[in-house]
């Protein structure tokens, strides 16, 4: 599953040489969590992730708010991908309430979802650049994401968290001439990120730090239950937008990006390729979207779900993101549980880091597309 320790290095035989390091939670490379790492010289003997330092209690809070007022706080765990964390919640509530979303709203939600996916991915990629000592890899994504943040601000009125998806559609329609502005900026954005290939993914720094580091086989990726770019980088063709399409994804033209190497380099490359597909999705959605029509079904105050439960999931920037809602004929959910890609991918970390050199830890860790705030919820 993971690299074996070099000959002669085993926990049983070298206890006196083992050193324990606490990486985080204040460490800039720990991402609001702690890693308890035991090393023998320069080699990692074991890694014990210790999450929970930014726990928010979102799922419990949802039991005290109705289906509408849950919207703003549920997007907080994934600040940079707020549309996609609200997506499965809205789909689930719509199932509970028997709501049929207007056709135009479905396209608008897909466009917002893909824009937000790219905004999150660029944020993740920028931090990866800092982890690897590649400052240009921080500056370029940090600057290019402003193109899409501007579009989301035009759509939603906010630049970071948007509270744009609501049960029944979206909070408001697109502004005038948005389609033309969006098409121009997405086309320019696509040209920009295509340049990432030669400057980042052909760069000796990135290649030396990530190739053959933290190799996850196809079998282990499936057995450990990984998702998203981690799963697809190990050769598994699985994308919920394709396998379980929601809203209008089945009507749009795009492909799933799959690599077979399973190392940190492949895991860093899949999200970049996904951004190129997001540009295709947005263009196709703009072309096929009805030019007029409602974008929201107006609900009565305090709508009540039935005595049932529902589970819906979407493909977020970190992989599968599901929402399980239990209703008991009240305006508030009886129970709400989020299943997030970050938590599912965290299980890989101890396996992939065992036997790696300590210097490879940041490259392997951040390649797992793990966002601690999402996992702690």
């Amino acid at each position: 599953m993971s690299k074996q320790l070099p000959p002669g290095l085993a926990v049983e035989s070298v206890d006196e040489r083992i050193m324990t390091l606490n990486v985080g939670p204040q460490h800039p490379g720990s991402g609001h969590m702690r890693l308890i790492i035991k090393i023998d010289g320069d080699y990692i003997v074991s890694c014990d992730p210790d999450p929970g330092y930014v726990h928010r209690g979102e799922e419990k809070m949802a039991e005290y708010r109705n289906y509408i007022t849950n919207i703003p706080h549920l997007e907080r765990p994934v600040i940079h991908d707020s549309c996609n964390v609200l997506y499965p919640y809205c789909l689930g509530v719509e199932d509970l309430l028997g709501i049929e979303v207007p056709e135009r709203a479905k396209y608008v939600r897909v466009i917002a979802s893909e824009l937000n996916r790219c905004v999150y991915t660029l944020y993740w990629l920028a931090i990866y650049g800092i982890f690897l000592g590649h400052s240009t890899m921080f500056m370029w994504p940090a600057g290019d994401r402003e193109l899409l943040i501007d579009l989301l601000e035009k759509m939603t009125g906010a630049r970071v968290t948007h509270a744009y998806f609501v049960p029944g559609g979206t909070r408001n329609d697109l502004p005038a001439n948005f389609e033309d502005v969006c098409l121009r900026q997405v086309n320019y954005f696509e040209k920009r990120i295509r340049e990432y290939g030669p400057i980042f993914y052909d760069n000796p720094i990135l290649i030396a730090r990530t190739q053959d580091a933290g190799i996850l086989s196809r079998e282990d990726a499936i057995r450990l239950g990984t998702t998203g770019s981690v799963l697809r980088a190990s050769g598994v063709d699985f994308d919920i937008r394709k396998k379980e399409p929601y809203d209008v994804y089945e009507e749009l033209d795009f492909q799933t990006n799959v690599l077979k190497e399973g190392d940190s380099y492949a895991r860093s490359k899949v999200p970049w390729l996904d951004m190129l597909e997001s540009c295709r999705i947005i263009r196709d959605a703009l072309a096929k979207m009805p030019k007029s029509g409602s974008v929201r079904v107006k609900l009565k105050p305090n709508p009540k779900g039935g005595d049932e439960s529902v589970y819906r999931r979407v493909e977020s920037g970190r992989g599968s993101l599901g929402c399980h809602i239990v209703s008991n004929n009240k305006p508030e959910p009886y129970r709400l549980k989020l299943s997030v890609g970050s938590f599912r991918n965290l299980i890989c970390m101890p396996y992939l880091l065992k036997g790696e050199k300590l210097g490879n830890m940041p490259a392997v860790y951040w390649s797992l597309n793990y966002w601690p705030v999402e996992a702690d919820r």
Side-chain angles (χ1 to χ4, degrees), residues 23-27 29-35 48-54 346 349 365 370-372 376:
V23 181
Q26 77 289 344
H27 190 283
S30 70
H32 311 301
M33 68 178 293
R34 181 172 68 147
L35 302 177
D48 184 13
D50 183 21
Y53 287 87
V54 285
L346 178 62
M349 195 180 298
Y365 165 33
Y370 176 73
W371 181 230
D376 288 347

Side-chain angles (χ1 to χ4, degrees), residues 216 221 224 226 230 344-353 368:
L216 180 67
L224 292 170
T226 60
V230 176
R344 291 177 59 182
N345 291 333
L346 178 62
I347 194 173
C348 293
M349 195 180 298
Y351 296 97
L352 297 185
L353 287 179
L368 294 176

